[in-house]
Amino acid sequence: MFNRLTRSRDAIVANYAGLTRDRKYGEGKIGDHRFMLVDTGGISGEEEGIDTAMANQSLLAMDEADIVLFMVSARDGLLAADHLIAKQLRQRGKRVYLVVNKIDGHDPDMALAPFYELGLGEVFATTATHGRGVTSMMEDVLAELPEPELDPEAQAPKGIKMAIVGRPNVGKSTLVNRMLGEDRVIVYDHPGTTRDSVYIQYERFDKPYTIIDTAGVRRRKNVALTVEKFSIVKTLQAIDDANVVILVIDAQEGIVEQDLHLMGTVIDAGRALVIALNKWDGLEEGHKQYVKNELDRRLRFVDFANIHFISALHGTGVGNLYKSIEQAYQSATDKLSTSFLTQVLQDAVVEHQPPMINGRRIKLRYAHAGGSNPPIIVVHGNQTAKIPAHYVRYLEKTYRKALNLRGTPVRVEFKSSDNPFSGRKKPVPKRSARRAPRKGG
C-alpha cells in the first residue's frame, strides 16, 4: 500500500511476516491533495524481543499522524490482534479508516462483514498490489482535510545527505539515533535488525541534514534470505544517492575484508567518505594501538578519508563527525576554475612529463571541470587513450593536493583533440606539378 500511494518501490515487499521494522516516510499525491505517509511494522500483540521495539515504532507513528489507515487482511479474516489494535486507536482518539486489503478472490460483502464488529465506521475494500479501490478510498479519506499550502521544494531532501553503512551489528542504527538525539530507528543486539534504507531529515544548529540508515552488508556467500538480498540492493542505492558516506567499522573486531570491499564500493560510486571506528572506548590500550597500525597498513588506498574513533552508545567523538562531513561535502561539490585546473596540469607536466608512445610524447594541453560529487577533471590532449595508470594516479594526487580536497575521491578523465589534418592528402606544390620530367641519357 505504501508503494502504491507513493508511486515508488521504496518499501521492500515480500511474502514474509515482520518484514517492515522501522518507520519509513514517503510523499504521496491523489488529485490536488499532497500528503506524507508513514509505513510501519505489523503489530500482533504477542511481541517479544525485537518485535517489541518494532511495535513501539508503530505506536509512535500513530501518535504523530493526523489520520491512521488501519489495514487488515481479508484472507486472514478478523483476528484477536485486530481487536487489540482497534482498542489502541480508540484510546488515542485518532481519526481511523479501516482498510480490508487482499480482497481479490473474495466476495466483498462476505469478506467485509466480520470487520464491522470492530466499530470503526466505514470499511474500505482494496487490493493494493493491483490498485483496486485505493484511489476511491484515498479520495474519501482526504476529502475532509484542508489542503495545506506546501512549497514543492520543501518536500525534497534538504542539506547534506549522509548514508550510514557497514557490516551487520557494527552499531549503525545506534549511531543514527545518537546523531538525531532520539530513538528514531530500532536498535537490537542481533545482526540484520535494519532491513530497509530509512531516510530521516533533521536540523542541527539550524543546518539541514538527511541521514540514511541502511541494512548491514555481509559477504555474498553468507547471504541466503531473499529479503536480505533486497536489503543489500537498497543499501547500494542509498550509497549512490548520498553525498557523504559514513562507513562504520567495529573496532573490537578490527578491519576485515568486507570493510575493505564496502570502501571500494563507495569509491567506485564516487562518494565522499568518512570512516568511523565504533565501540572504541571499550578497548584496551594495546588493542587500540594494534588497530591503528592495521589502519595505517590497510587503508592507504583511502588516505584522503578522515578517520574517527567513536562510541555511538555513549556519544564519545560522535559530534566530531560533522566537521569531517562538512569538509568532505565541500570538497566534493566545490566549483573548480578552468584556468586554475589548467595551471595545475601544466605544473604537473613540467614536474613529471607523460611517457613517450611510439616515439611521440603524449601532450596534455588544458583541463576543466566535468562534474562534482565526485570532482571530475577533464584533461584534453593527444594520445590520451594511451596514458598509463600510474600517470593517472599521479595527476589525481596532484589535483587532490593542489585543490586541498579532503574526504572525497577525485576522477581525472581524458579527451583526445582531433587532428584537423587527419585524412587529408598532402597537396602537391605548383612548381613541382609544372616541372618537366628529366630526359634520360
Side-chain angles (χ1 to χ4, degrees):
M1 183 67 77
F2 180 87
N3 287 346
R4 173 68 60 181
L5 293 175
T6 57
R7 299 180 184 180
S8 70
R9 292 187 179 181
D10 287 348
I12 299 177
V13 179
N15 188 21
Y16 186 96
L19 180 63
T20 303
R21 285 177 173 169
D22 293 302
R23 286 175 283 165
K24 188 171 187 67
Y25 290 73
E27 185 185 347
K29 183 179 180 183
I30 300 289
D32 294 330
H33 287 274
R34 304 173 73 92
F35 49 89
M36 186 66 69
L37 284 167
V38 189
D39 187 23
T40 66
I43 302 175
S44 67
E46 300 176 354
E47 286 81 13
E48 294 181 358
I50 190 172
D51 292 336
T52 303
M54 182 176 71
N56 289 336
Q57 289 286 320
S58 299
L59 296 176
L60 288 171
M62 287 185 199
D63 291 336
E64 69 182 8
D66 298 307
I67 292 175
V68 176
L69 300 181
F70 176 21
M71 291 189 67
V72 294
S73 172
R75 295 178 189 171
D76 297 339
L78 184 62
L79 304 175
D82 298 331
H83 285 282
L84 177 69
I85 297 170
K87 181 180 178 182
Q88 289 275 359
L89 290 170
R90 277 193 290 269
Q91 289 175 350
R92 281 169 165 76
K94 293 291 181 179
R95 185 182 300 181
V96 181
Y97 294 87
L98 185 60
V99 183
V100 182
N101 196 36
K102 305 179 182 179
I103 200 71
D104 50 319
H106 296 79
D107 178 82
D109 294 331
M110 294 289 291
L112 296 183
F115 293 100
Y116 285 99
E117 183 182 325
L118 295 175
L120 294 176
E122 187 177 357
V123 180
F124 295 93
T126 66
T127 301
T129 52
H130 302 133
R132 176 183 172 186
V134 174
T135 302
S136 59
M137 172 197 72
M138 290 303 298
E139 287 175 349
D140 289 349
V141 168
L142 298 171
E144 301 177 18
L145 291 180
E147 177 65 19
E149 297 181 3
L150 296 177
D151 180 3
E153 295 183 0
Q155 300 304 309
K158 294 180 179 180
I160 302 173
K161 281 194 284 188
M162 306 171 292
I164 313 294
V165 304
R167 294 181 294 113
N169 214 34
V170 296
K172 298 183 298 298
S173 295
T174 304
L175 178 58
V176 169
N177 288 339
R178 175 63 62 180
M179 294 177 77
L180 293 173
E182 63 168 306
D183 291 336
R184 172 61 182 79
V185 290
I186 295 173
V187 176
Y188 195 69
D189 188 20
H190 186 274
T193 302
T194 304
R195 284 181 173 151
D196 209 345
S197 296
V198 182
Y199 285 65
I200 309 162
Q201 295 181 30
Y202 69 106
E203 288 188 358
R204 181 179 184 268
F205 299 140
D206 297 326
K207 269 193 171 183
Y209 296 91
T210 298
I211 196 167
I212 312 171
D213 187 22
T214 66
V217 180
R218 297 194 293 171
R219 296 180 66 182
R220 186 177 298 177
K221 70 181 184 67
N222 296 328
V223 177
L225 291 175
T226 303
V227 169
E228 188 173 355
K229 294 177 183 177
F230 280 119
S231 298
I232 292 171
V233 170
K234 289 287 186 180
T235 297
L236 298 178
Q237 290 175 345
I239 290 173
D240 196 54
D241 193 30
N243 302 124
V244 180
V245 174
I246 302 175
L247 177 65
V248 183
I249 298 173
D250 189 337
Q252 294 177 350
E253 297 182 13
I255 301 172
V256 299
E257 290 300 321
Q258 184 64 6
D259 295 325
L260 300 176
H261 177 71
L262 281 170
M263 287 181 202
T265 301
V266 173
I267 294 171
D268 289 344
R271 293 297 166 257
L273 176 65
V274 177
I275 299 171
L277 270 83
N278 192 26
K279 309 178 186 179
W280 184 253
D281 53 350
L283 301 184
E284 296 178 355
E285 287 302 319
H287 189 65
K288 287 182 178 180
Q289 190 57 49
Y290 169 76
V291 172
K292 289 181 178 180
N293 292 339
E294 284 291 286
L295 292 173
D296 293 337
R297 185 176 68 87
R298 306 188 72 180
L299 299 189
R300 291 177 182 174
F301 71 104
V302 287
D303 56 357
F304 56 84
N306 287 336
I307 300 174
H308 292 264
F309 304 97
I310 68 167
S311 170
L313 184 62
H314 302 117
T316 308
V318 173
N320 297 330
L321 290 172
Y322 284 97
K323 183 178 180 181
S324 292
I325 292 167
E326 295 282 350
Q327 186 182 33
Y329 177 73
Q330 185 175 352
S331 294
T333 57
D334 267 355
K335 292 183 178 180
L336 306 176
S337 161
T338 298
S339 59
F340 184 71
L341 294 177
T342 301
Q343 184 61 52
V344 173
L345 175 67
Q346 292 171 351
D347 293 343
V349 169
V350 170
E351 183 73 22
H352 178 30
Q353 286 195 356
M356 296 184 70
I357 304 294
N358 298 329
R360 295 176 57 204
R361 178 77 65 184
I362 294 175
K363 292 184 179 179
L364 304 178
R365 294 187 172 85
Y366 68 96
H368 63 83
S372 61
N373 207 189
I376 299 173
I377 299 165
V378 182
V379 176
H380 291 255
N382 67 347
Q383 301 189 90
T384 56
K386 299 176 182 178
I387 294 177
H390 71 83
Y391 198 80
V392 177
R393 290 194 297 270
Y394 162 69
L395 289 179
E396 288 176 350
K397 289 184 178 180
T398 300
Y399 273 115
R400 183 177 291 116
K401 184 177 180 181
L403 297 169
N404 194 25
L405 299 178
R406 190 69 190 165
T408 179
V410 59
R411 291 179 179 171
V412 178
E413 298 178 355
F414 298 92
K415 285 190 177 182
S416 291
S417 303
D418 294 330
N419 184 351
F421 300 104
S422 62
R424 293 188 185 181
K425 291 184 178 180
K426 188 175 181 179
V428 180
K430 292 182 179 180
R431 286 185 61 188
S432 300
R434 291 197 302 267
R435 186 179 297 164
R438 291 183 178 181
K439 293 182 181 180

